Amino acid sequence: MSRRSRGSNTWEVRASTLARNTHNLIRDIVENLQVEPNPNKQLIALSVGDPTTFGNLNPPEQVIQAVRESNEWLSSRSYGPAKGHLEAREAVAKYSAHQSNEEISPEDVVLCSGCSHAIELAITVIADSGQNVLVPRPGFMIYKTVAEGLGINIKYYNLLPDQQWKVDLEDLENQIDDDTAAIVVINPSNPCGSVYNKEHLSEILDIASRNHVPIIADEIYEHFVFSNHEFTALSAVSKDVPILTCGGLTKRFLVPGWRMGWIIIHDRHNVLGKEVRKGLSNLATRILGPNTLIQRALPAILSCTPQSFFDDVVLFIENQAKLAYDELRRAPGLRPIMPQGAMYMMIEIKTSLFPSFKNELQFVERMVAEQSVFCLPGQCFAYPNFMRIVLTVPEDILREACQRITIFCKDHIVSRETLKEIDSNLVNVSSDSEVICDSGPALA
Ligand SMILES: *Cc1c(COP(=O)(O)O)cnc(C)c1O
């Protein structure tokens, strides 16, 4: 097994298999893009999924104050229990009461270093090398990053853009095999901004129940839904499917750098048994527990934040979504899909109408070079021919970005003449001609 013999007289230090097989798709793709902005235009990055980037969205004063006070306590500097302090877990259990019809016990809560750590624990406690985890496509790619280095396979199930990104249920069920360890459901969704209603959640649960597959519910955007939509926790609908719900402070409280997340174990019928709980406790000891400064502040953060703070943030994002949707709907060759929550919008790029670009990667590359607007290509979410924008940027910047995107599309959309020449098998002229006409004189 050893890679070297003792007494070897040269240095042979290699990175481990885990390290070599761990990839972050977004980073890999973005690093390989030519993203030299136009020097005459200020760069607008609609790519960064961090709501604090522009300084326009800040946590409420009560939250800042809670951490200030926490700093006064010795216990906010000491190690805590690996799963987190009891008071902090009690606070999370209470805050998460909507997730269950039964009382959530602090014993059901494991505090983590951010939601991504919660995701890592949830996957590693349930899946072994050689097994697979089903994740949505398009979807947030941390699952791939976490799983693949460990030899856990990622299999995709499709979401349906024409049905507000609902799960393709047939596809989901078809993907399940004997090695499937868990299904991941991200609701509300990054990158889609979709929000699933109770009926749809029940349909997903039926499949999990029939096939006896537990679910990892990524609800980092819980409650983050626009008007006329309702957030329902998957666990609140589940009758028998065990669910590990991953959440945290990051998005809702606008504090990604604080690295405070959690797992809540929903296992009414004790399907997961003692072993999985024990397993989570074991895995939690790998980092000796998360940040105690924030743990000590957690009860105040979770109970003192006024509802008006959440309402204002969501209303802001909703208005941003409407703005971007209205602007980009008129951009020739694009089809924005209106989100129902979270903080992103997916936009289809009808690549057949932009013959000078081979794919959406080239499209976003050239848009940076010409218009200094950077959007994440869909391939970052295993979903070509789309791009994702973040809606948390200030309003004037978003408006400016949408206008530049529109100009870019008008500059590059196929001309009427070329369109006629293109094989009609390739491009559906009749349905797209509407889009072409919209753009008017720019096509001339
Ligand atoms: C941002 C995000 C996370 C990671 O959250 P952290 O608390 O920063 O680790 C997890 N899942 C989804 C869907 C996200 O968008």
Side-chain angles (χ1 to χ4, degrees), residues 122-178:
I123 287 186
T124 47
V125 80
I126 264 183
D128 268 318
S129 162
Q131 289 190 289
N132 63 68
V133 172
L134 308 190
V135 302
R137 173 172 58 202
F140 187 59
M141 280 296 140
I142 194 98
Y143 294 91
K144 194 174 158 72
T145 305
V146 165
E148 286 189 339
L150 298 167
I152 300 163
N153 299 313
I154 290 294
K155 287 177 78 181
Y156 297 106
Y157 63 87
N158 288 324
L159 306 183
L160 302 165
D162 297 324
Q163 296 178 37
Q164 279 147 338
W165 300 110
K166 279 199 173 130
V167 172
D168 181 338
L169 296 166
E170 204 183 312
D171 186 42
L172 172 64
E173 189 147 23
N174 283 338
Q175 298 301 331
I176 298 174
D177 61 32
D178 292 344

Side-chain angles (χ1 to χ4, degrees), residues 266-285:
H266 298 280
D267 185 21
R268 219 168 273 184
H269 300 295
N270 210 15
V271 176
L272 298 173
K274 285 207 187 84
E275 203 180 270
V276 172
R277 283 172 191 271
K278 181 74 175 20
L280 279 174
S281 301
N282 294 349
L283 290 174
T285 65

Side-chain angles (χ1 to χ4, degrees), residues 206-370:
D206 284 346
I207 292 174
S209 174
R210 252 199 314 275
N211 294 280
H212 303 102
V213 183
I215 293 186
I216 297 172
D218 183 338
E219 296 183 356
I220 188 73
Y221 297 99
E222 62 179 352
H223 309 298
F224 221 118
V225 301
F226 302 159
S227 42
N228 302 323
H229 294 282
E230 199 184 337
F231 170 73
T232 308
L234 190 67
S235 51
V237 188
S238 174
K239 294 194 189 74
D240 59 336
V241 178
I243 296 177
L244 298 178
T245 301
C246 300
L249 294 183
T250 301
K251 305 285 169 34
R252 196 169 185 228
F253 292 82
L254 304 170
V255 290
W258 287 5
R259 313 310 302 138
M260 181 49 62
W262 48 76
I263 296 181
I264 301 181
I265 306 163
H266 298 280
D267 185 21
R268 219 168 273 184
H269 300 295
N270 210 15
V271 176
L272 298 173
K274 285 207 187 84
E275 203 180 270
V276 172
R277 283 172 191 271
K278 181 74 175 20
L280 279 174
S281 301
N282 294 349
L283 290 174
T285 65
R286 287 163 62 99
I287 65 159
L288 309 183
N291 189 328
T292 50
L293 178 67
I294 306 302
Q295 282 190 48
R296 187 127 210 336
L298 212 42
I301 291 173
L302 296 179
S303 62
C304 301
T305 303
Q307 184 58 38
S308 60
F309 164 77
F310 301 124
D311 295 345
D312 290 349
V313 174
V314 173
L315 184 64
F316 169 75
I317 309 270
E318 180 172 0
N319 286 332
Q320 297 279 91
K322 286 181 187 156
L323 185 161
Y325 183 79
D326 279 345
E327 291 277 342
L328 296 177
R329 206 162 42 122
R330 286 176 294 190
L334 296 187
R335 180 173 69 122
I337 299 188
M338 183 66 186
Q340 304 160 314
M343 29 174 89
Y344 315 94
M345 182 186 284
M346 286 286 269
I347 300 154
E348 185 183 1
I349 304 166
K350 301 191 176 187
T351 36
S352 58
L353 297 179
F354 298 99
S356 45
F357 308 126
K358 205 170 65 202
N359 52 31
E360 101 277 0
L361 294 176
Q362 286 190 350
F363 181 99
V364 301
E365 254 177 5
R366 281 291 288 282
M367 199 156 70
V368 179
E370 292 178 19

Side-chain angles (χ1 to χ4, degrees), residues 19-51:
R20 280 181 287 119
N21 292 342
T22 298
H23 298 282
N24 181 305
L25 197 60
I26 295 185
R27 215 190 45 203
D28 290 353
I29 289 176
V30 171
E31 273 174 8
N32 283 314
L33 287 180
Q34 298 288 335
V35 279
E36 249 336 283
N38 179 341
N40 301 318
K41 291 182 192 231
Q42 175 91 39
L43 177 69
I44 303 178
L46 295 183
S47 51
V48 192
D50 179 341

